[in-house]
Amino acid sequence: MEPDARTLKIEAARAALEHVESGMKLGLGTGSTAEEFVRLLAARIEEGLRIVGVPTSERTAKLCRDLSVPLTNLDDTPELDLAVDGADEVGPALTLIKGGGGALLREKIVAAASRRMVVIADESKVVDTLGRFPLPIEVNPFGLGATVVAIRAAAGRLGLSGEISTRMAGEKPFVTDGGHFIVDASFGRIPEPEALAQALNSIPGVVEHGIFIGLASLAILAGKDGIRTLDAAGRVGP
């Protein structure tokens, strides 16, 4: 019987623990796979591992507090050794789409503050071209309509189109930990992620987007045949 989705997440998270050493300052990601890492990390801490973590969301922070994982912040600890996080898509050269859990801004800040970022995911997240997963874009609530028009126009100049919808939480817009909204852009394929990232960064109402470029150094991927790794140069390991 093939392993289920949670089993694959746990296997990837357990493999990521091999990159953690006592004394490290860690960035702790958000989402179901990252939470499995936090749970395994907490068990290691009970056995004597010494680390301190910066959570990328209030949800992760609560889980860490519940499991007695020591926490700090980027004001007190501005440089981290390692960030471990999941991804919604893993593309060529470890370009990523993130933000399905709504924490993309803090995730990107933490990843940028870390010497290394390790991505943990199951093999289904690997794609030849980004865009199968709708791209999360964090936006300021002020001027939402104008920002969406600008996003659509910027995408159009790159030959991209598709539905752009405001993420909802029930009958109200989903609100991020930073007090922003998220719009999800279903472009289908994003053959030039760097160009789209630059175009989105130029729109005043866009706070951040879920395209991660040049941040991940290693992806740990779990599949029915076990664990494999993928680095930014495309090298595959056991």
Side-chain angles (χ1 to χ4, degrees):
M1 186 171 62
E2 292 187 3
D4 61 21
R6 187 181 177 203
T7 298
L8 294 177
K9 292 173 183 178
I10 293 171
E11 289 178 0
R14 183 173 289 112
L17 267 179
E18 297 178 8
H19 295 263
V20 176
E21 299 176 4
S22 204
M24 274 189 166
K25 296 165 285 188
L26 301 179
L28 303 174
T30 295
S32 57
T33 308
E35 287 175 3
E36 298 297 352
F37 175 78
V38 170
R39 292 187 180 95
L40 293 172
L41 180 67
R44 288 282 307 278
I45 290 169
E46 285 187 5
E47 296 169 357
L49 179 71
R50 295 180 299 102
I51 63 93
V52 64
V54 173
T56 56
S57 67
E58 298 303 321
R59 173 177 162 180
T60 297
K62 181 181 184 305
L63 178 63
C64 288
R65 288 192 294 268
D66 290 345
L67 297 175
S68 300
V69 174
L71 296 181
T72 184
N73 56 61
L74 290 180
D75 293 324
D76 295 333
T77 312
E79 296 180 332
L80 305 178
D81 299 301
L82 175 68
V84 179
D85 207 345
D88 298 300
E89 283 190 344
V90 179
L94 296 189
T95 56
L96 312 172
I97 284 184
K98 289 178 54 55
L104 62 104
L105 174 61
R106 294 190 183 185
E107 288 173 337
K108 192 172 282 190
I109 291 171
V110 167
S114 303
R115 292 190 182 93
R116 297 179 63 222
M117 178 188 185
V118 171
V119 174
I120 49 178
D122 66 78
E123 285 194 327
S124 69
K125 302 298 177 66
V126 178
V127 296
D128 293 329
T129 304
L130 295 180
R132 182 177 66 193
F133 188 91
L135 174 64
I137 305 170
E138 192 159 342
V139 299
N140 197 298
F142 178 83
L144 174 63
T147 299
V148 170
V149 168
I151 292 171
R152 188 172 286 114
R157 289 191 289 271
L158 295 171
L160 302 174
S161 62
E163 182 182 358
I164 300 174
S165 59
T166 302
R167 187 178 299 182
M168 304 298 289
E171 297 182 358
K172 297 181 179 180
F174 172 87
V175 179
T176 69
D177 287 341
H180 307 123
F181 291 171
I182 289 181
V183 297
D184 294 301
S186 300
F187 292 136
R189 293 181 76 255
I190 305 172
E192 299 177 273
E194 295 89 350
L196 179 58
Q198 291 175 6
L200 293 174
N201 286 337
S202 71
I203 298 171
V206 170
V207 178
E208 192 49 86
H209 55 76
I211 302 174
F212 283 49
I213 299 173
L215 290 170
S217 57
L218 185 72
I220 297 174
L221 306 166
K224 59 182 177 62
D225 296 323
I227 295 288
R228 69 183 177 101
T229 61
L230 183 65
D231 68 14
R235 292 184 291 260
V236 178

